[in-house]
Amino acid sequence: MNSLDPRVNRLPQLKEVVLPKAPLDQFGTYEVFVQPKEGKPFQHEGIVHAPNLELAWVLAKEAFTRRFTCTSLYVVDTRDVYVSPLTEGDKNAYDLIPEITEQAGNKKNFEIYHLVKRGKQHVHVGTVQAVLPQEAMQLAGKQFNNGKIVYNVWAIATDTIRFTTDEEKELWLTLPKKKFRDASDYKGGDKLKAFLEKR
Amino acid sequence: MYGGGNTFEGIKTDSLAQEDPGMLAAFEARIERGEKIEPSDWMPQLYRKQLIRMIEQHAHSEIIGALPEGTWITRAPGFKRKMALMAKVQDEVGHAQLLYSAAETLGKSREQMIDDLINGKSKYSNIFNYPTFTWADCCFISWLVDAGAIVNQLANAKGSYGPYCRALDRICAEESFHLKYGHHCVIYLASGTAKQRQMFQEALNRWWPPMMHFFGPSDKISAHTEVLMRWKVKMGTNDEMRNQFLDMYVPKIWELGFTIPDPNLKKNESGKWEYTEPDWEEFKRVINGDGPCNKERLEVRRVAEARGQWVREALKTPKTSYVTPLA
Ligand SMILES: [Fe+2]
Ligand SMILES: [Fe+2]
Ligand SMILES: [Fe+2]
């Protein structure tokens, strides 16, 4: 290599052709939810790829809470998210969830998320207790369906989520100290004005 | 960071003939109403294909764009500039991650995209095939290349594909720091010593031609993209975006007392900018691999990929497997 950067010049020589990676030599997919402020609901922010839930949490912290105010985040394996059909216009997603009779067995908690405007993010609305995810959505339809149209419903069993512990929340206390990552830390106005007056 | 002037494939007029006319009409009506398309919605093959191509190119531009600036982190003047540049470069790589995820919702895995990048199959913004000789080149990128990127990104954030728009909303919010930081750096050079002013002027002279290329070939010679405009994949023509950039930033460059190396650059009575036609032959030559840094940029990515392989292998577990992101 003949680079201006000495570190690039020190890189090892590779064979001309790098073999393509084995198909889908890729980590799992995890959905990321962030709470922007204390008291606000968690909302879906995006995904990370990671080898496990624990590392997904670490990567999510880096990717989604590095810059914006944040009080908490959690992650869940995409395969653990149950999804209703996506509707449009005046069709409510809850109307498309097939009826199911109350199931026998151990109930567990499910977190419920609504998409109330197409193009926006899914937002947490509450928790229900059910045996099956479909049953959880049906229950949610009665509890959280306040007449507003819901275009998409997600249900996630609470015990599959990797939450943030209270101790870990201290991570975000340093955000105000990292002002150099804010536009507001770069006020060049005075210097510019002085420069223009001198010219 | 983001290069406009995405390369779109030439569109055959019959490529919509196989689509279900009813579904196509409903799809177009939804876009016309200003609603977003979501991954589970029906969409024409052409829409999917061109969006993957565009978002993927955008993502590659972010990680490749981190290289010419990243190289200056260790040599940035002073602790504060080092911290800021490091944070900015980290943001750019984060942008790539957000964009790869958005493209993934359309059915192409991140692995495949990275393979296509390092094997030279996918494009990225042409401007990053040029070298950053001095700190002033790095400042040019932080301020003006990012400014160009923001013009594109703000327009694309009003596009029709939900996951791409959401990624862009996050990205644009982060870009405001890049722009202010970059302007701050250039103000300091402009109001500094004669040597500092000269450094920036020289960087400006070097970067102006690739900056004019940044928004892609002129409308007179670029591929027809009416259907992509109608579907809100492409939000403005290359010349419209270029004009918007010139309108916002030429006065700011002039204000600092620098000269732009184009004697024909001026705003005409109708408010449009006139300029010497950029050298589109050079643009084509560089985008097809023959620029000053094309080889180096891909080589750095390939080495990173090869060096990280053992880590990825060590971390892989059969308990988890790749699935397409939800939204
Ligand atoms: Fe960026
Ligand atoms: Fe940027
Ligand atoms: Fe950038």
Side-chain angles (χ1 to χ4, degrees), chain B residues 1 88 92 95 146 175 178:
Chain B
M1 193 77 61
K88 176 183 187 294
E92 304 297 7
H95 295 172
D146 272 53
E175 292 288 1
H178 302 179

Side-chain angles (χ1 to χ4, degrees), chain A residues 66-108:
Chain A
R66 189 178 74 253
R67 288 287 302 278
F68 302 105
T69 57
C70 160
T71 47
S72 192
L73 100 125
Y74 54 71
V75 290
V76 65
D77 193 318
T78 300
R79 295 170 300 178
D80 289 329
V81 182
Y82 296 90
V83 182
S84 82
L86 177 66
T87 59
E88 64 177 320
D90 52 7
K91 275 200 222 89
N92 198 319
Y94 277 118
D95 297 338
L96 299 180
I97 294 161
E99 284 282 329
I100 184 171
T101 52
E102 202 180 324
Q103 300 288 302
N106 280 338
K107 283 193 196 317
K108 53 181 182 176

Side-chain angles (χ1 to χ4, degrees), chain A residues 107-123:
Chain A
K107 283 193 196 317
K108 53 181 182 176
N109 284 341
F110 284 89
E111 306 300 331
I112 304 293
Y113 305 81
H114 282 174
L115 180 72
V116 291
K117 188 164 191 269
R118 283 181 64 106
K120 294 291 173 211
Q121 277 141 325
H122 290 72
V123 178

Side-chain angles (χ1 to χ4, degrees), chain B residues 220-274:
Chain B
K220 281 168 274 174
I221 59 169
S222 63
H224 289 279
T225 49
E226 287 87 358
V227 69
L228 298 180
M229 301 264 264
R230 188 166 78 234
W231 288 348
K232 295 185 189 164
V233 172
K234 201 169 160 56
M235 298 303 289
T237 72
N238 296 349
D239 284 340
E240 281 163 7
M241 299 310 225
R242 191 165 14 247
N243 193 71
Q244 200 183 325
F245 169 79
L246 294 171
D247 211 35
M248 289 169 80
Y249 293 96
V250 169
K252 290 195 162 71
I253 297 170
W254 281 343
E255 176 182 54
L256 292 169
F258 294 113
T259 26
I260 291 169
D262 179 358
N264 299 322
L265 183 71
K266 66 164 198 289
K267 198 173 180 169
N268 66 23
E269 295 91 65
S270 61
K272 282 255 181 298
W273 284 83
E274 288 174 7

